[in-house]
Structure formats: C-alpha cells, structure tokens
Amino acid sequence: MNPFAQIWAYPFMVNAFRAGTVVAVLAAVMGWFMVVRRQSFAGHSLAMVSFPGAAGATLLGISASFGYFAFCVGAALVIAAVPRRESGQDAALTGTVQAFLLACGYLFVALYKGFLGGVNSLLFGSFLGITDNQVLTLVVVAAAGLTVLALIGRPLLFASVDRDAAAGRGVPVRALSAAFLVLLGLATAGASQITGSLLVFALLVMPAATAQQLTVRPVLSLAVAVALALAVTWGGLMAAYYSPYPIGFYVTTFAFAGYVVARLAPMTGGTRLVMAKGARLAWTVTVRGSR
C-alpha cells in the first residue's frame, strides 16, 4: 500500500500533517530572523518555558495549548522589558526566567501527579490527539504572526544586522525587538505542541542555520529554511508513525543531519556582510518611497 495513503487514512494523522505544516512554516520564518539576530538563547529559553505552561494548564484542567501560548508570550514580554544596556544583562535575565519557570513546570507535574507518558509527550512531542480546534488555532496564530512579520520585516532585518546604523536612521529598534520576541514566543508555543518543549529549539534554529550556510541571499535563504523545516517535519511524522519513538527525536535527527551536510559543503563567506548591505538598501528604498 502507498505509505502516504495508509497514513492519511487516519484522521489524527491528517491533523498531525496539517498542524506540522503550519508549525514548520512559522518556526522556519521566525527561526531565520532569530539566527540572524543572534537570539538563539532567547529562543531556547522560550522553548523551555512552554513546558511549565502546558503543565500548569493541565493542572488547572484547561487546554494545554492555552498554557503554551500564555507562558511563551508572557516570558517574551518579560525578556523584552529589560533594556540591552550592558553586555550580558539580557542573557542573565533570560536564563533566570528560564530556570524559574522550568522549576515551576516540574512542580505542576508533581501537583497533578502526571504519569510518565504524559510528561514525555510534553517534553518530547507527540502527533497523537491533535484536534481540529488545535489545527485551527495554529492556523490563526501563524497567519497573524506572519502578517505582522511581513509588515515589519524590512526594518527588522536592518536592525538585526546593524543595530547602531538602524537606530541612527530612525528605525524603532527597541519596539521592533519587543515585537519580534512576542512573535518568537507565538512560534515557540505552536511548535512545542508538535516537537515537545525540549526539542522545539531544533525546528527553530536548525533549518534556519542550515539555509544560511547554503546561500547568502536573504530571500532565497528564507525560502530554503521553510523547505527544510517542511521536509524534516513531514519526515519526522512518517518515521514516528512507523516506529515507537517520539517525533521530536526524528525531527531533531533529520534537521541535524541537514546542518552537518551544509557545514561540510564549501563555505560561502560574507553572509552577514551581504545581509547587512541588502537590509540597508531595502530600508533606504522603503523610506524614499514613503516620501
């Protein structure tokens, strides 16, 4: 039997592929900007706090999806509230928030006496039990997040590759940084429902990092990141269906294999310089056009 036909004969797998596709696109786009902005540690921390969010929601008897989004967006707002004045100040706060909320997650698990399988699904992901309502929620969140990112994409890229020059030209760097962290929180919360809290970082950073190793052109690099995220997510879903192991393991393994291949390929120099020039040109054209 055709493996795709066999998998898609089950409604829960259809929902898993729908949700996985939405999450892959959202995580790849947000992750691409995250890598360019060198905020991988912030992305990792937001992934960690999705676990206490889901555990707390379960303790209260509400949907785990609500906990994912509430905690990730809340943590993003806390991180964004601290100005980046001193070197390492934002990293210290990010680590503090991560450690505290992760500890809260284990407390919530202990309070509702969660069984081992339930904790494993929160940490390492599961494609079982994805409902139509969850898919619809992910579509709405992804559409809203990508729309906002499309509106702020050019000035955000400019501020990402050359913060000082962007601030000197009147770009609202602080506001853009806060907005992006909120969008990153939304992407993290959505991806956590597929890969789990511990391995969502792989879907955020690896396709983006791999794409930026393969090409220096921002638009092409972004498209490659989306294609890679879709490939590893679909491959992970198929592999998890035919084996007893969690989907997060396969997504991480496939994404890591792609990154290793890209690193072994001939390195292309000047990636950051090309992005910086492209971002400055795009911002200049936008400003002149508005005048």
Side-chain angles (χ1 to χ4, degrees), residues 100-161:
F100 172 71
L101 291 180
L102 189 59
C104 290
Y106 284 102
L107 174 62
F108 297 153
V109 170
L111 289 176
Y112 79 79
K113 297 179 174 58
F115 55 92
L116 183 60
V119 176
N120 281 343
S121 65
L122 294 180
L123 294 177
F124 301 105
S126 174
F127 58 87
L128 299 175
I130 299 177
T131 64
D132 293 338
N133 289 334
Q134 286 178 307
V135 175
L136 180 60
T137 300
L138 289 174
V139 170
V140 172
V141 170
L146 293 176
T147 299
V148 174
L149 188 62
L151 295 175
I152 67 173
R154 287 185 175 182
L156 179 64
L157 180 58
F158 187 15
S160 300
V161 297

CSV table of all heavy atoms in Angstrom, one decimal, residues 100-161:
chain,number,residue,atom,x,y,z
A,100,PHE,N,13.6,29.5,36.5
A,100,PHE,CA,12.5,29.6,37.5
A,100,PHE,C,11.2,28.9,36.9
A,100,PHE,O,10.6,28.1,37.6
A,100,PHE,CB,12.1,31.1,37.8
A,100,PHE,CG,10.9,31.3,38.6
A,100,PHE,CD1,10.8,30.9,39.9
A,100,PHE,CD2,9.8,31.8,38.0
A,100,PHE,CE1,9.7,31.0,40.6
A,100,PHE,CE2,8.6,31.9,38.7
A,100,PHE,CZ,8.5,31.6,40.0
A,101,LEU,N,10.9,29.2,35.6
A,101,LEU,CA,9.7,28.6,35.1
A,101,LEU,C,9.8,27.1,34.8
A,101,LEU,O,8.9,26.4,34.9
A,101,LEU,CB,9.3,29.4,33.8
A,101,LEU,CG,8.9,30.8,34.0
A,101,LEU,CD1,8.6,31.5,32.6
A,101,LEU,CD2,7.7,30.9,34.9
A,102,LEU,N,11.0,26.7,34.5
A,102,LEU,CA,11.2,25.3,34.3
A,102,LEU,C,11.0,24.5,35.6
A,102,LEU,O,10.4,23.4,35.6
A,102,LEU,CB,12.6,25.0,33.8
A,102,LEU,CG,13.0,23.6,33.3
A,102,LEU,CD1,12.0,23.1,32.2
A,102,LEU,CD2,14.4,23.4,32.8
A,103,ALA,N,11.5,25.1,36.7
A,103,ALA,CA,11.2,24.5,38.0
A,103,ALA,C,9.7,24.5,38.3
A,103,ALA,O,9.2,23.5,38.9
A,103,ALA,CB,12.0,25.3,39.1
A,104,CYS,N,9.0,25.6,37.9
A,104,CYS,CA,7.6,25.6,38.2
A,104,CYS,C,6.9,24.5,37.4
A,104,CYS,O,5.9,23.9,37.9
A,104,CYS,CB,7.0,26.9,37.7
A,104,CYS,SG,7.5,28.3,38.8
A,105,GLY,N,7.4,24.1,36.2
A,105,GLY,CA,6.8,23.1,35.4
A,105,GLY,C,6.9,21.7,36.1
A,105,GLY,O,5.9,21.0,36.2
A,106,TYR,N,8.0,21.4,36.7
A,106,TYR,CA,8.1,20.2,37.5
A,106,TYR,C,7.3,20.2,38.7
A,106,TYR,O,6.7,19.1,39.1
A,106,TYR,CB,9.6,19.9,37.8
A,106,TYR,CG,10.4,19.4,36.6
A,106,TYR,CD1,11.2,20.3,35.9
A,106,TYR,CD2,10.2,18.1,36.1
A,106,TYR,CE1,11.9,19.8,34.8
A,106,TYR,CE2,10.9,17.7,35.0
A,106,TYR,CZ,11.8,18.5,34.4
A,106,TYR,OH,12.5,18.1,33.3
A,107,LEU,N,7.1,21.4,39.3
A,107,LEU,CA,6.2,21.5,40.5
A,107,LEU,C,4.7,21.2,40.0
A,107,LEU,O,4.0,20.4,40.7
A,107,LEU,CB,6.3,22.9,41.1
A,107,LEU,CG,5.2,23.2,42.2
A,107,LEU,CD1,5.5,22.2,43.4
A,107,LEU,CD2,5.3,24.6,42.6
A,108,PHE,N,4.3,21.7,38.9
A,108,PHE,CA,3.0,21.5,38.4
A,108,PHE,C,2.7,20.0,38.1
A,108,PHE,O,1.7,19.5,38.4
A,108,PHE,CB,2.7,22.3,37.1
A,108,PHE,CG,2.8,23.8,37.4
A,108,PHE,CD1,3.1,24.7,36.3
A,108,PHE,CD2,2.5,24.3,38.6
A,108,PHE,CE1,3.2,26.0,36.5
A,108,PHE,CE2,2.6,25.7,38.8
A,108,PHE,CZ,2.9,26.6,37.8
A,109,VAL,N,3.8,19.4,37.5
A,109,VAL,CA,3.7,17.9,37.2
A,109,VAL,C,3.5,17.1,38.5
A,109,VAL,O,2.7,16.2,38.6
A,109,VAL,CB,4.9,17.4,36.5
A,109,VAL,CG1,4.9,15.9,36.4
A,109,VAL,CG2,4.9,18.0,35.1
A,110,ALA,N,4.2,17.5,39.6
A,110,ALA,CA,4.1,16.8,40.9
A,110,ALA,C,2.8,17.0,41.5
A,110,ALA,O,2.2,16.1,42.1
A,110,ALA,CB,5.2,17.3,41.8
A,111,LEU,N,2.2,18.2,41.3
A,111,LEU,CA,0.9,18.5,42.0
A,111,LEU,C,-0.2,17.8,41.3
A,111,LEU,O,-1.2,17.3,42.0
A,111,LEU,CB,0.6,20.0,41.9
A,111,LEU,CG,1.5,20.9,42.8
A,111,LEU,CD1,1.2,22.4,42.5
A,111,LEU,CD2,1.3,20.6,44.2
A,112,TYR,N,-0.2,17.6,40.0
A,112,TYR,CA,-1.3,16.9,39.4
A,112,TYR,C,-1.0,15.4,39.2
A,112,TYR,O,-1.7,14.6,38.6
A,112,TYR,CB,-1.8,17.5,38.0
A,112,TYR,CG,-0.9,17.3,36.8
A,112,TYR,CD1,-1.0,16.0,36.1
A,112,TYR,CD2,-0.1,18.2,36.3
A,112,TYR,CE1,-0.3,15.8,35.0
A,112,TYR,CE2,0.7,18.0,35.2
A,112,TYR,CZ,0.6,16.8,34.5
A,112,TYR,OH,1.3,16.6,33.4
A,113,LYS,N,0.2,15.0,39.7
A,113,LYS,CA,0.7,13.6,39.7
A,113,LYS,C,0.6,13.1,38.3
A,113,LYS,O,0.0,12.0,38.0
A,113,LYS,CB,-0.2,12.8,40.7
A,113,LYS,CG,-0.1,13.2,42.1
A,113,LYS,CD,-0.9,12.3,43.0
A,113,LYS,CE,-0.7,12.7,44.5
A,113,LYS,NZ,-0.9,14.1,44.8
A,114,GLY,N,1.2,13.8,37.4
A,114,GLY,CA,1.2,13.4,36.0
A,114,GLY,C,2.0,12.1,35.8
A,114,GLY,O,3.1,11.9,36.4
A,115,PHE,N,1.5,11.2,35.0
A,115,PHE,CA,2.2,10.0,34.7
A,115,PHE,C,3.3,10.2,33.7
A,115,PHE,O,3.3,11.2,33.0
A,115,PHE,CB,1.2,8.9,34.2
A,115,PHE,CG,0.4,9.3,33.0
A,115,PHE,CD1,0.9,9.0,31.7
A,115,PHE,CD2,-0.8,10.0,33.1
A,115,PHE,CE1,0.2,9.4,30.6
A,115,PHE,CE2,-1.5,10.4,32.0
A,115,PHE,CZ,-1.0,10.1,30.7
A,116,LEU,N,4.2,9.3,33.6
A,116,LEU,CA,5.5,9.4,32.9
A,116,LEU,C,5.2,9.7,31.4
A,116,LEU,O,5.8,10.5,30.8
A,116,LEU,CB,6.4,8.2,33.0
A,116,LEU,CG,7.7,8.3,32.3
A,116,LEU,CD1,8.5,9.4,32.9
A,116,LEU,CD2,8.5,6.9,32.5
A,117,GLY,N,4.2,9.0,30.8
A,117,GLY,CA,3.9,9.1,29.4
A,117,GLY,C,3.4,10.5,29.1
A,117,GLY,O,3.8,11.1,28.1
A,118,GLY,N,2.6,11.1,30.0
A,118,GLY,CA,2.1,12.5,29.8
A,118,GLY,C,3.3,13.5,29.8
A,118,GLY,O,3.3,14.4,29.0
A,119,VAL,N,4.2,13.3,30.7
A,119,VAL,CA,5.3,14.2,30.8
A,119,VAL,C,6.2,14.1,29.6
A,119,VAL,O,6.7,15.1,29.0
A,119,VAL,CB,6.2,13.9,32.1
A,119,VAL,CG1,7.4,14.8,32.1
A,119,VAL,CG2,5.3,14.2,33.3
A,120,ASN,N,6.4,12.8,29.1
A,120,ASN,CA,7.2,12.6,27.9
A,120,ASN,C,6.6,13.3,26.7
A,120,ASN,O,7.3,13.9,25.9
A,120,ASN,CB,7.3,11.1,27.6
A,120,ASN,CG,8.3,10.5,28.5
A,120,ASN,OD1,9.2,11.1,29.1
A,120,ASN,ND2,8.2,9.1,28.6
A,121,SER,N,5.3,13.3,26.6
A,121,SER,CA,4.7,14.0,25.4
A,121,SER,C,4.8,15.5,25.5
A,121,SER,O,5.0,16.1,24.4
A,121,SER,CB,3.2,13.6,25.4
A,121,SER,OG,2.5,14.2,26.5
A,122,LEU,N,4.9,16.0,26.7
A,122,LEU,CA,5.1,17.5,26.8
A,122,LEU,C,6.5,17.8,26.5
A,122,LEU,O,6.8,18.9,25.9
A,122,LEU,CB,4.8,17.9,28.3
A,122,LEU,CG,3.3,17.9,28.7
A,122,LEU,CD1,3.2,18.4,30.1
A,122,LEU,CD2,2.4,18.7,27.8
A,123,LEU,N,7.5,17.0,26.9
A,123,LEU,CA,8.9,17.3,26.7
A,123,LEU,C,9.4,16.9,25.3
A,123,LEU,O,10.2,17.6,24.7
A,123,LEU,CB,9.7,16.5,27.7
A,123,LEU,CG,9.5,17.0,29.2
A,123,LEU,CD1,10.3,16.1,30.1
A,123,LEU,CD2,9.9,18.4,29.4
A,124,PHE,N,8.9,15.8,24.8
A,124,PHE,CA,9.5,15.3,23.5
A,124,PHE,C,8.5,15.2,22.4
A,124,PHE,O,8.9,14.8,21.3
A,124,PHE,CB,10.0,13.9,23.8
A,124,PHE,CG,11.1,13.8,24.8
A,124,PHE,CD1,10.8,13.3,26.1
A,124,PHE,CD2,12.4,14.3,24.6
A,124,PHE,CE1,11.8,13.3,27.1
A,124,PHE,CE2,13.4,14.3,25.6
A,124,PHE,CZ,13.1,13.8,26.8
A,125,GLY,N,7.3,15.7,22.6
A,125,GLY,CA,6.3,15.8,21.5
A,125,GLY,C,5.5,14.5,21.2
A,125,GLY,O,5.9,13.4,21.6
A,126,SER,N,4.4,14.7,20.5
A,126,SER,CA,3.5,13.6,20.2
A,126,SER,C,2.6,14.1,19.0
A,126,SER,O,2.1,15.3,19.0
A,126,SER,CB,2.7,13.1,21.3
A,126,SER,OG,1.7,12.2,20.9
A,127,PHE,N,2.3,13.2,18.1
A,127,PHE,CA,1.4,13.6,17.0
A,127,PHE,C,0.0,13.1,17.2
A,127,PHE,O,-0.9,13.2,16.4
A,127,PHE,CB,2.0,13.1,15.6
A,127,PHE,CG,2.2,11.6,15.6
A,127,PHE,CD1,1.1,10.8,15.3
A,127,PHE,CD2,3.4,11.0,15.9
A,127,PHE,CE1,1.3,9.4,15.2
A,127,PHE,CE2,3.6,9.7,15.8
A,127,PHE,CZ,2.5,8.8,15.5
A,128,LEU,N,-0.2,12.4,18.4
A,128,LEU,CA,-1.5,11.8,18.7
A,128,LEU,C,-2.3,12.9,19.4
A,128,LEU,O,-1.9,13.7,20.2
A,128,LEU,CB,-1.3,10.6,19.6
A,128,LEU,CG,-0.5,9.4,19.1
A,128,LEU,CD1,-0.3,8.4,20.1
A,128,LEU,CD2,-1.2,8.8,17.9
A,129,GLY,N,-3.6,12.8,19.1
A,129,GLY,CA,-4.6,13.7,19.8
A,129,GLY,C,-4.6,15.1,19.3
A,129,GLY,O,-5.2,16.0,20.1
A,130,ILE,N,-4.1,15.4,18.2
A,130,ILE,CA,-4.2,16.8,17.7
A,130,ILE,C,-5.6,17.0,17.1
A,130,ILE,O,-6.0,16.3,16.1
A,130,ILE,CB,-3.1,17.1,16.6
A,130,ILE,CG1,-1.7,16.9,17.2
A,130,ILE,CG2,-3.3,18.5,16.0
A,130,ILE,CD1,-0.6,17.1,16.2
A,131,THR,N,-6.3,17.9,17.6
A,131,THR,CA,-7.7,18.1,17.2
A,131,THR,C,-7.9,19.1,16.2
A,131,THR,O,-7.0,19.9,15.8
A,131,THR,CB,-8.6,18.5,18.5
A,131,THR,OG1,-8.1,19.8,18.9
A,131,THR,CG2,-8.4,17.5,19.6
A,132,ASP,N,-9.1,19.1,15.6
A,132,ASP,CA,-9.4,20.2,14.6
A,132,ASP,C,-9.3,21.6,15.2
A,132,ASP,O,-8.8,22.5,14.5
A,132,ASP,CB,-10.8,19.9,14.0
A,132,ASP,CG,-10.9,18.6,13.2
A,132,ASP,OD1,-9.9,18.2,12.7
A,132,ASP,OD2,-12.0,18.1,13.1
A,133,ASN,N,-9.7,21.7,16.4
A,133,ASN,CA,-9.6,23.0,17.0
A,133,ASN,C,-8.2,23.5,17.2
A,133,ASN,O,-7.8,24.7,17.1
A,133,ASN,CB,-10.3,23.0,18.4
A,133,ASN,CG,-11.8,22.9,18.3
A,133,ASN,OD1,-12.4,23.4,17.2
A,133,ASN,ND2,-12.5,22.4,19.3
A,134,GLN,N,-7.3,22.5,17.6
A,134,GLN,CA,-5.9,22.9,17.7
A,134,GLN,C,-5.3,23.3,16.3
A,134,GLN,O,-4.5,24.3,16.3
A,134,GLN,CB,-5.1,21.7,18.3
A,134,GLN,CG,-5.3,21.5,19.8
A,134,GLN,CD,-4.6,20.3,20.3
A,134,GLN,OE1,-4.7,19.2,19.7
A,134,GLN,NE2,-3.8,20.5,21.3
A,135,VAL,N,-5.6,22.6,15.3
A,135,VAL,CA,-5.1,23.0,14.0
A,135,VAL,C,-5.6,24.4,13.6
A,135,VAL,O,-4.9,25.2,13.1
A,135,VAL,CB,-5.6,21.9,12.9
A,135,VAL,CG1,-5.2,22.4,11.5
A,135,VAL,CG2,-5.0,20.6,13.2
A,136,LEU,N,-6.9,24.6,13.9
A,136,LEU,CA,-7.4,26.0,13.6
A,136,LEU,C,-6.7,27.0,14.3
A,136,LEU,O,-6.4,28.1,13.8
A,136,LEU,CB,-8.9,26.0,13.8
A,136,LEU,CG,-9.7,27.3,13.6
A,136,LEU,CD1,-9.5,27.7,12.1
A,136,LEU,CD2,-11.1,27.2,14.0
A,137,THR,N,-6.5,26.8,15.6
A,137,THR,CA,-5.7,27.7,16.5
A,137,THR,C,-4.4,28.0,15.9
A,137,THR,O,-3.9,29.2,15.8
A,137,THR,CB,-5.6,27.2,17.9
A,137,THR,OG1,-6.9,27.0,18.4
A,137,THR,CG2,-4.9,28.2,18.8
A,138,LEU,N,-3.7,27.0,15.5
A,138,LEU,CA,-2.3,27.2,14.9
A,138,LEU,C,-2.4,28.0,13.6
A,138,LEU,O,-1.5,28.8,13.4
A,138,LEU,CB,-1.7,25.8,14.7
A,138,LEU,CG,-1.3,25.0,15.9
A,138,LEU,CD1,-0.8,23.6,15.5
A,138,LEU,CD2,-0.2,25.7,16.6
A,139,VAL,N,-3.4,27.7,12.8
A,139,VAL,CA,-3.5,28.5,11.5
A,139,VAL,C,-3.7,29.9,11.8
A,139,VAL,O,-3.1,30.8,11.2
A,139,VAL,CB,-4.7,27.9,10.7
A,139,VAL,CG1,-5.0,28.8,9.5
A,139,VAL,CG2,-4.3,26.5,10.2
A,140,VAL,N,-4.6,30.2,12.8
A,140,VAL,CA,-4.9,31.7,13.1
A,140,VAL,C,-3.6,32.3,13.7
A,140,VAL,O,-3.3,33.5,13.3
A,140,VAL,CB,-6.1,31.7,14.1
A,140,VAL,CG1,-6.2,33.2,14.6
A,140,VAL,CG2,-7.3,31.2,13.5
A,141,VAL,N,-2.9,31.7,14.6
A,141,VAL,CA,-1.7,32.2,15.2
A,141,VAL,C,-0.7,32.4,14.1
A,141,VAL,O,0.0,33.5,14.1
A,141,VAL,CB,-1.2,31.3,16.3
A,141,VAL,CG1,0.1,31.8,16.8
A,141,VAL,CG2,-2.2,31.4,17.5
A,142,ALA,N,-0.5,31.4,13.3
A,142,ALA,CA,0.6,31.5,12.2
A,142,ALA,C,0.2,32.7,11.2
A,142,ALA,O,1.1,33.4,10.8
A,142,ALA,CB,0.7,30.2,11.5
A,143,ALA,N,-1.0,32.8,10.8
A,143,ALA,CA,-1.4,33.8,9.9
A,143,ALA,C,-1.2,35.2,10.5
A,143,ALA,O,-0.6,36.1,9.8
A,143,ALA,CB,-2.8,33.6,9.5
A,144,ALA,N,-1.6,35.3,11.8
A,144,ALA,CA,-1.4,36.6,12.4
A,144,ALA,C,0.1,37.0,12.6
A,144,ALA,O,0.6,38.1,12.3
A,144,ALA,CB,-2.1,36.6,13.8
A,145,GLY,N,0.9,36.0,13.0
A,145,GLY,CA,2.3,36.2,13.2
A,145,GLY,C,3.1,36.5,11.9
A,145,GLY,O,3.9,37.5,11.9
A,146,LEU,N,2.8,35.8,10.9
A,146,LEU,CA,3.5,36.0,9.6
A,146,LEU,C,3.0,37.3,9.0
A,146,LEU,O,3.8,38.0,8.3
A,146,LEU,CB,3.2,34.8,8.7
A,146,LEU,CG,3.8,33.5,9.1
A,146,LEU,CD1,3.4,32.4,8.1
A,146,LEU,CD2,5.3,33.6,9.1
A,147,THR,N,1.8,37.7,9.2
A,147,THR,CA,1.3,39.0,8.7
A,147,THR,C,2.1,40.2,9.3
A,147,THR,O,2.5,41.1,8.7
A,147,THR,CB,-0.2,39.2,8.9
A,147,THR,OG1,-0.9,38.1,8.2
A,147,THR,CG2,-0.7,40.5,8.4
A,148,VAL,N,2.2,40.1,10.7
A,148,VAL,CA,2.9,41.1,11.4
A,148,VAL,C,4.4,41.2,11.0
A,148,VAL,O,5.0,42.2,10.7
A,148,VAL,CB,2.8,40.9,12.9
A,148,VAL,CG1,3.7,41.9,13.7
A,148,VAL,CG2,1.3,41.1,13.3
A,149,LEU,N,5.0,40.0,10.8
A,149,LEU,CA,6.4,39.9,10.4
A,149,LEU,C,6.6,40.5,9.0
A,149,LEU,O,7.6,41.1,8.8
A,149,LEU,CB,6.9,38.5,10.5
A,149,LEU,CG,8.4,38.3,10.3
A,149,LEU,CD1,9.2,39.0,11.4
A,149,LEU,CD2,8.7,36.8,10.3
A,150,ALA,N,5.6,40.2,8.1
A,150,ALA,CA,5.7,40.8,6.8
A,150,ALA,C,5.7,42.3,6.8
A,150,ALA,O,6.4,43.0,6.0
A,150,ALA,CB,4.6,40.3,5.9
A,151,LEU,N,5.0,42.9,7.7
A,151,LEU,CA,4.9,44.4,7.8
A,151,LEU,C,6.1,45.0,8.4
A,151,LEU,O,6.5,46.1,8.0
A,151,LEU,CB,3.7,44.7,8.7
A,151,LEU,CG,2.3,44.4,8.2
A,151,LEU,CD1,1.2,44.7,9.2
A,151,LEU,CD2,2.0,45.1,6.8
A,152,ILE,N,6.8,44.3,9.3
A,152,ILE,CA,8.0,44.8,10.0
A,152,ILE,C,9.3,44.2,9.5
A,152,ILE,O,10.4,44.4,10.0
A,152,ILE,CB,7.9,44.7,11.5
A,152,ILE,CG1,8.0,43.2,11.9
A,152,ILE,CG2,6.6,45.3,12.1
A,152,ILE,CD1,8.1,42.9,13.4
A,153,GLY,N,9.2,43.3,8.5
A,153,GLY,CA,10.3,42.5,8.1
A,153,GLY,C,11.5,43.3,7.6
A,153,GLY,O,12.7,43.0,8.0
A,154,ARG,N,11.3,44.3,6.8
A,154,ARG,CA,12.5,45.1,6.3
A,154,ARG,C,13.2,45.9,7.4
A,154,ARG,O,14.4,45.7,7.5
A,154,ARG,CB,12.0,46.0,5.2
A,154,ARG,CG,11.7,45.3,3.9
A,154,ARG,CD,11.4,46.3,2.7
A,154,ARG,NE,11.1,45.6,1.5
A,154,ARG,CZ,10.9,46.2,0.3
A,154,ARG,NH1,10.8,47.6,0.3
A,154,ARG,NH2,10.7,45.5,-0.8
A,155,PRO,N,12.5,46.7,8.1
A,155,PRO,CA,13.2,47.4,9.2
A,155,PRO,C,13.8,46.4,10.3
A,155,PRO,O,14.8,46.7,10.8
A,155,PRO,CB,12.2,48.3,9.8
A,155,PRO,CG,10.9,47.8,9.4
A,155,PRO,CD,11.1,47.2,8.1
A,156,LEU,N,13.1,45.3,10.5
A,156,LEU,CA,13.6,44.3,11.5
A,156,LEU,C,14.9,43.7,11.0
A,156,LEU,O,15.9,43.5,11.7
A,156,LEU,CB,12.6,43.2,11.7
A,156,LEU,CG,13.0,42.1,12.6
A,156,LEU,CD1,13.2,42.7,14.1
A,156,LEU,CD2,11.9,41.0,12.7
A,157,LEU,N,15.0,43.4,9.7
A,157,LEU,CA,16.2,42.8,9.1
A,157,LEU,C,17.4,43.9,9.2
A,157,LEU,O,18.5,43.5,9.6
A,157,LEU,CB,16.0,42.4,7.7
A,157,LEU,CG,17.2,41.8,6.9
A,157,LEU,CD1,17.7,40.6,7.7
A,157,LEU,CD2,16.9,41.5,5.5
A,158,PHE,N,17.1,45.1,8.9
A,158,PHE,CA,18.1,46.2,9.0
A,158,PHE,C,18.6,46.3,10.4
A,158,PHE,O,19.8,46.3,10.7
A,158,PHE,CB,17.4,47.5,8.6
A,158,PHE,CG,18.4,48.6,8.5
A,158,PHE,CD1,19.8,48.4,8.5
A,158,PHE,CD2,18.0,49.9,8.4
A,158,PHE,CE1,20.7,49.5,8.4
A,158,PHE,CE2,18.8,51.0,8.3
A,158,PHE,CZ,20.2,50.8,8.3
A,159,ALA,N,17.7,46.3,11.4
A,159,ALA,CA,18.1,46.4,12.8
A,159,ALA,C,18.8,45.2,13.3
A,159,ALA,O,19.6,45.2,14.2
A,159,ALA,CB,16.8,46.7,13.7
A,160,SER,N,18.5,44.0,12.7
A,160,SER,CA,19.1,42.8,13.1
A,160,SER,C,20.6,42.7,12.7
A,160,SER,O,21.4,42.2,13.5
A,160,SER,CB,18.4,41.6,12.5
A,160,SER,OG,17.0,41.6,12.9
A,161,VAL,N,20.9,43.2,11.5
A,161,VAL,CA,22.3,43.0,11.0
A,161,VAL,C,23.2,44.2,11.4
A,161,VAL,O,24.4,44.1,11.4
A,161,VAL,CB,22.3,42.8,9.5
A,161,VAL,CG1,21.6,41.5,9.1
A,161,VAL,CG2,21.7,44.0,8.7
